[in-house]
Amino acid sequence: MTEQFPLGQLAQAAPAQLVQWMAEVQPLVGLGHLPQYVPELAQVNPETLALAVQPAQAKLIGLGDVSCRFSLMSLMKPFLLLFVLEEQGADIVFDRVGMLPSDQSFHSLKQLAADRGHPRNPMLNSGALSLVELLPGRNGTERCRVFCQWLQQKSGIALTVDQTMLASVRELPNDTNRALAQMLKNAGSISSMAKALDTYNQICCLAVTVSALAQLGLLLAVRQDCIQRRSQRIVNALMLTSGVYEVSGEWALRMGLPIKSGVSGGILAIVPGEGTIALYSPAIDDAGNSVAGACLLEKIIQNFDLSLF
Ligand SMILES: NC(=O)CC[C@H](N)C(=O)O
């Protein structure tokens, strides 16, 4: 007899329940703001909501605006961390970045200054800017290609850079990320600012749908022959403690799952041993997390008792 997991039960109960919860959060869709520092992100339709539930043992369920493509932005960070843990090992990774939560925003200069140029954790922009230097390749394009090939080999999901988004990111240089890179360079944490920023930007602009994101998340959610258990544990722990920045502690209580968000409005929740939930709704709150996405995720977690604690 196959074991019945809660997320599998959810799959059976869907779509009726999920449709109902999506309708309940509809008044929140569009509440919040669109990031203005990337012109292309400022122009998306805020009135969208998409959900994908990927149980490990059953078919993916997609609801809402599932064909919407969005950039990973910070959702790339858990996968970047997984790559470098697998390819370089934890000692090298934690030589470059810390593992402590931060009560500051994802691009806080104050935090990096307080930490003397040693990023507090890999879920912050500073942490990712430091870790991209561990990707092999002579430039951002090569490093991004290596990263995509690795992800495809491990997950079967092929990602490509959204060139329009990348052009938009480059069009309006991000002074905060530049200042973070400068601080990292001054501290000897990175060797090339330009290469680190370019790699970071390209990987942030990898495009997904909620379904692709949910499928990618399985790399972290269930045992994989091709990925070490220890690497999965480290990434999940850091998502739980730091995945949604300064509100990670609050979300750990509310949601009780490893979760990562991105300023594009995507959210990925890992239900360890069972599967993943991915959401997309582009309007975000002050911490950079999708407003409607968070509310829908909380309803699903509570109603299906998916919290780990
Ligand atoms: N929180 C995020 O998604 C941040 C990623 C975004 N590319 C930035 O650098 O600001």
Side-chain angles (χ1 to χ4, degrees):
M1 218 176 86
T2 52
E3 207 175 343
Q4 187 68 64
F5 294 111
L7 210 60
Q9 287 166 12
L10 189 156
Q12 282 177 1
Q17 282 275 272
L18 294 172
V19 168
Q20 188 194 323
W21 298 330
M22 282 184 85
E24 283 172 19
V25 303
Q26 202 57 47
L28 296 180
V29 175
L31 288 190
H33 68 276
L34 297 176
Q36 300 299 312
Y37 65 92
V38 178
E40 196 66 21
L41 283 180
Q43 277 168 26
V44 301
N45 175 8
E47 299 295 325
T48 44
L49 177 66
L51 167 71
V53 178
Q54 175 67 76
Q57 322 274 338
K59 249 182 45 225
L60 179 141
I61 300 154
L63 289 170
D65 303 304
V66 285
S67 60
C68 275
R69 279 160 56 87
F70 55 98
S71 299
L72 284 176
M73 294 295 158
S74 281
L75 286 156
M76 63 86 160
K77 291 169 183 166
F79 300 104
L80 172 64
L81 177 61
L82 187 66
F83 177 102
V84 292
L85 285 168
E86 286 290 290
E87 297 298 310
Q88 306 273 349
D91 290 348
I92 290 178
V93 169
F94 291 110
D95 203 35
R96 296 188 82 95
V97 296
M99 50 178 80
L100 295 177
S102 166
D103 61 1
Q104 302 294 311
S105 69
F106 59 83
H107 51 200
S108 170
L109 284 162
K110 192 174 139 202
Q111 184 69 75
L112 188 59
D115 294 331
R116 295 168 196 275
H118 189 260
R120 179 157 290 215
N121 71 63
M123 300 296 143
L124 298 172
N125 288 13
S126 56
L129 280 165
S130 172
L131 291 183
V132 290
E133 286 218 326
L134 295 177
L135 291 169
R138 283 169 302 177
N139 50 44
T141 306
E142 276 186 23
R143 287 170 169 178
C144 184
R145 193 180 310 129
V146 169
F147 180 60
C148 289
Q149 280 167 351
W150 185 85
L151 277 179
Q152 183 166 11
Q153 189 202 337
K154 304 288 178 187
S155 70
I157 304 292
L159 298 182
T160 53
V161 172
D162 178 337
Q163 294 296 342
T164 311
M165 186 63 71
L166 183 59
S168 181
V169 166
R170 286 173 171 163
E171 173 194 327
L172 203 71
N174 183 326
D175 290 339
T176 312
N177 282 346
R178 239 197 118 63
L180 288 170
Q182 183 70 63
M183 217 180 268
L184 290 167
K185 171 87 175 139
N186 294 348
S189 300
I190 61 171
S191 54
S192 162
M193 270 178 71
K195 253 166 74 171
L197 283 165
D198 187 42
T199 311
Y200 174 89
N201 286 338
Q202 295 210 34
I203 296 179
C204 277
C205 291
L206 291 170
V208 285
T209 58
V210 271
S211 307
L213 182 59
Q215 286 169 273
L216 272 180
L218 286 180
L219 289 179
L220 297 165
V222 290
R223 278 179 195 267
Q224 305 276 343
D225 292 340
C226 58
I227 291 182
Q228 295 177 70
R229 187 75 195 108
R230 180 167 181 241
S231 304
Q232 290 182 321
R233 272 210 313 271
I234 292 171
V235 179
N236 277 293
L238 283 161
M239 286 172 77
L240 181 72
T241 56
S242 306
V244 290
Y245 320 113
E246 65 269 41
V247 293
S248 299
E250 188 193 319
W251 280 44
L253 266 75
R254 267 174 75 191
M255 314 278 195
L257 291 176
I259 297 173
K260 187 73 201 80
S261 62
V263 283
S264 48
I267 299 180
L268 173 65
I270 306 298
V271 191
E274 296 179 17
T276 64
I277 303 168
L279 309 99
Y280 172 63
S281 192
I284 56 174
D285 62 18
D286 289 340
N289 303 314
S290 169
V291 174
C295 186
L296 179 55
L297 179 60
E298 190 171 14
K299 271 184 194 288
I300 297 172
I301 291 173
Q302 282 181 356
N303 280 288
F304 284 96
D305 196 15
L306 296 174
S307 176
L308 291 175
F309 315 109

